[in-house]
Amino acid sequence: MSKNLHPTVDPTQMGVGRSIAVLTSGGDAQGMNAAVRATVRVGLYTGAKVYFVHEGYQGLVDGGDNIRPATWESVSMMLQLGGTVIGSARCMDFRSREGRMKAAGNLVKLGITNLCVIGGDGSLTGANQFRTEWSGLLADLVKAGKITDEEARKSSHLNIVGMVGSIDNDFCGTDMTIGTDSALHRIIEVVDAITTTAQSHQRTFILEVMGRHCGYLALVTALACGADWVFIPEMPPDDGWEEHLCRRLANQRARGSRLNVIIVAEGAMSREGKPITSDQIKKLVTDKLGFDTRTTILGHVQRGGTPSAFDRILGSRMGVEAVMALLEATPDTPACVVSLSGNQAIRLPLMECVQVTKDVTAAMGEGRFEDAIKLRGKSFENNWNTYKLLAHINPPDVKSNINVAIMNIGAPCAGMNAAVRSAVRMGLIQGHNMLAVHDGFDGLAHGQIEPITWTQVSGWTGKGGSMLGTKRTLPGKLMEEISLNVARHNIHALVIIGGFEAFVGGLELVQAREKYEEMCIPIVVIPATVSNNVPGSDFSIGADTALNTITSTCDRIKQSAAGTKRRVFIIETMGGYCGYLATMAGLAAGADAAYIYEDKFTIRDLEANVEHLVEKMKTTVKRGLILRNENCNANYTTDFIFNLYSEEGKGIFDCRKNVLGHMQQGGTPTPFDRNFGTKMGAKSIMWLTEKLKECYRHGRIFANTPDSACVLGMRKRALTFQPLADLKEGTDFEHRIPKTQWWLKIRPIMKILAKYKIKLDTSEHADMEHVIKKRSPIVKS
């Protein structure tokens, strides 16, 4: 979220007298419309005039009707649409100076000196060249008599801000580009469908995904579906890979696996730079192993469909940041690109990012593959390392004699099983014995503990709910029985995957160390809950899946409202006292309001919201969407708000209500939750393995320091371990939420995009950050 250098500046006046144009260029990507919508609405909010440029750079060159004023209503109902509503085109004309001169003339005539470009690295490089040449282009236009000296003086400087829209995630400097998450959704839907048919017939499936120069989609797909092998351009397989691949597939079959999955990026190549194709791999597997093998090339299906919740929120946040960056720019500010780092929107110099992106291609061309992986950034590197550990190493013959138990606590959520699977496999790779605890702390107290093997967890990444079984029971009253079972089963370390109960349960186990020596073992808590309310982590496994469920339901509801006209829907979401789901779904679905516990509201606020909707019904947009977190207010219940809106809206709009309930906990996990769960599970075991070495004294494990019981969480830009005891201070135990929550800063964006006249906090400034020192690896996390 952008913060202005001058806190005294009124953000609603920042754009007065200025004009902004927005265009989408290059290949389309889901989520571009969210970015266009946010750019238009925040531009209008700041008092600026905003223009659409239709058909990308071609529209900029052709001018005329291609550059049109944008209004608030003209970006309504865009959020859920894939592709780009304002059109995109590959443009040869803009590559010539003559074409760029025409484009400059069209902008000058309309007084536009701020350009927001949403596209890939080619589109953004073109934008930077345009900006660099700007004064020369104006001089030529004056000479040719196309514009006057006065017009040239008024438009003497062009500001450029880029947002990266590319499903390949091939632009360095951002963890995610707009469209990548949605493309992964399409791919995983196909993988899930294919695995069921492949298992029926004992087949090997080769799946080719997009990514001519970047293996991100292939790599994350491989992690998210537990593939046997992945081919990516950044890291070609070692010589003799054919033998290795066949051996791996044969081993998996021997272990009882009924299917093999191989993921291939379309740009996959060998160490000699020769392409590795799906057909080549199919021939190898069929000839060498005689396996029934099928190939599926996904193609443009990956670009299509409705954008995921993540891409809508990403596009919206980037759009806000882009407008602020344009309005704050000076003639000396380099053209910047708005990027995502962890959960933060940041600004980076555009040409630095383009340079690193080119450096990756150069590194691959020169055979410096380790460098290529590093240059892609921390997020990519972490994915690659996790994949290598889980897919390429077989359990050792020598055992460590360490027993690690894994359990699920609290309500079930999608992604729990992915975390269990990767923890089990990583533990076995380390030589540990892995134990599954069924039904949470109840199971630990009653001895529902059994060994869990490599094969037992195969196929778990794509399964929703909790395969181990989970309960909300806390360990406090069962400590005697729990300590006996920890001793009986000789448990040396514990992985607890769950929600707020997992956090509190972990704390109770730590407290019990004073009385029960058996509890002096390393403990790690992995946050997994749709509510996203575990202290110590910005994200919990399961929240992304729930968010997508709510968002797609809201889309359907809005669609029905669009048919009937003048209808307001009130939707109740889960989350306990935590308003994360209601807020983020509100942003992703384009809600008019989201009532949450953390942002107190009164009857005056409800009244203002009703009046706001009454005004809205006078425009061309005749529908409303209100979200309410289940515990936002004990008295202003969903029924109360429904009755109030129904009464006040009489004759103007009618109301409907929906309580979404437990469907928010169900379903197959999203790619984000599968990948997040996989990385968290693996990382927790690596940490426990190190802790066990530290705690080994006189032939036994003894852990009683605060840092031997931690929460593994995502904090801003990195996965970090924080002692449970240190997090107590920042926790509101009564309402089961952390006292400070990062996403509350995003709430004003939702209100501004819903046309509320509120003040955007612009006091904290997002400085331009740097990506590179010459040729050094970029660090993004």
Side-chain angles (χ1 to χ4, degrees), residues 105-121:
N106 291 329
L107 290 180
V108 170
K109 287 292 179 194
L110 291 165
I112 299 167
T113 54
N114 297 285
L115 189 60
C116 181
V117 178
I118 308 164
D121 61 341

Side-chain angles (χ1 to χ4, degrees), residues 264-304:
V264 190
E266 61 178 333
M269 56 183 181
S270 69
R271 298 243 151 197
E272 291 74 49
K274 293 199 175 99
I276 294 177
T277 65
S278 307
D279 288 340
Q280 190 185 333
I281 301 162
K282 180 181 175 179
K283 187 173 181 338
L284 169 74
V285 175
T286 313
D287 292 354
K288 275 275 175 78
L289 298 171
F291 288 178
D292 186 1
T293 307
R294 297 285 191 276
T295 304
T296 301
I297 297 171
L298 284 189
H300 280 72
V301 121
Q302 295 158 84
R303 275 194 197 284

Side-chain angles (χ1 to χ4, degrees), residues 405-617:
I406 299 187
M407 61 202 300
N408 292 161
I409 309 296
C413 67
M416 273 182 164
N417 297 321
V420 172
R421 171 190 171 271
S422 82
V424 166
R425 291 199 165 174
M426 189 58 82
L428 294 170
I429 287 164
Q430 299 297 316
H432 309 325
N433 301 308
M434 302 305 290
L435 301 172
V437 180
H438 298 280
D439 297 341
F441 286 117
D442 269 1
L444 192 57
H446 300 127
Q448 291 169 257
I449 303 162
E450 60 179 8
I452 187 163
T453 64
W454 186 278
T455 320
Q456 273 174 285
V457 293
S458 67
W460 278 28
T461 41
K463 291 197 165 125
S466 162
M467 301 292 284
L468 293 181
T470 177
K471 285 192 175 173
R472 291 179 183 271
T473 317
L474 289 170
K477 292 175 181 153
L478 302 166
M479 209 57 80
E480 188 76 38
E481 296 94 321
I482 286 173
S483 63
L484 285 171
N485 273 313
V486 168
R488 190 174 295 139
H489 291 270
N490 204 13
I491 294 170
H492 300 110
L494 188 58
V495 180
I496 306 172
I497 302 166
F500 200 82
E501 288 90 352
F503 172 70
V504 177
L507 278 171
E508 289 183 3
L509 295 181
V510 171
Q511 278 168 327
R513 284 173 171 179
E514 292 169 20
K515 190 175 171 188
Y516 301 97
E517 211 174 277
E518 294 85 353
M519 300 327 302
C520 294
I521 55 173
I523 297 166
V524 64
V525 173
I526 297 177
T529 165
V530 300
S531 304
N532 198 31
N533 62 335
V534 179
S537 191
D538 294 344
F539 296 104
S540 295
I541 296 164
D544 186 69
T545 306
L547 189 53
N548 277 283
T549 303
I550 298 167
T551 304
S552 60
T553 308
C554 288
D555 285 352
R556 289 170 190 170
I557 284 168
K558 277 174 78 176
Q559 202 174 33
S560 81
T564 48
K565 300 282 197 305
R566 301 181 194 269
R567 180 164 283 175
V568 174
F569 278 90
I570 290 143
I571 296 172
E572 183 188 296
T573 67
M574 276 184 165
Y577 284 95
C578 179
Y580 176 82
L581 286 180
T583 296
M584 291 309 210
L587 189 54
D592 295 281
Y595 300 122
I596 64 167
Y597 168 76
E598 295 93 338
D599 195 350
K600 301 285 186 252
F601 58 98
T602 65
I603 193 73
R604 302 278 166 279
D605 299 308
L606 293 173
E607 201 179 358
N609 292 151
V610 172
E611 283 164 13
H612 183 87
L613 282 167
V614 167
E615 285 307 304
K616 187 179 178 182
M617 296 298 161

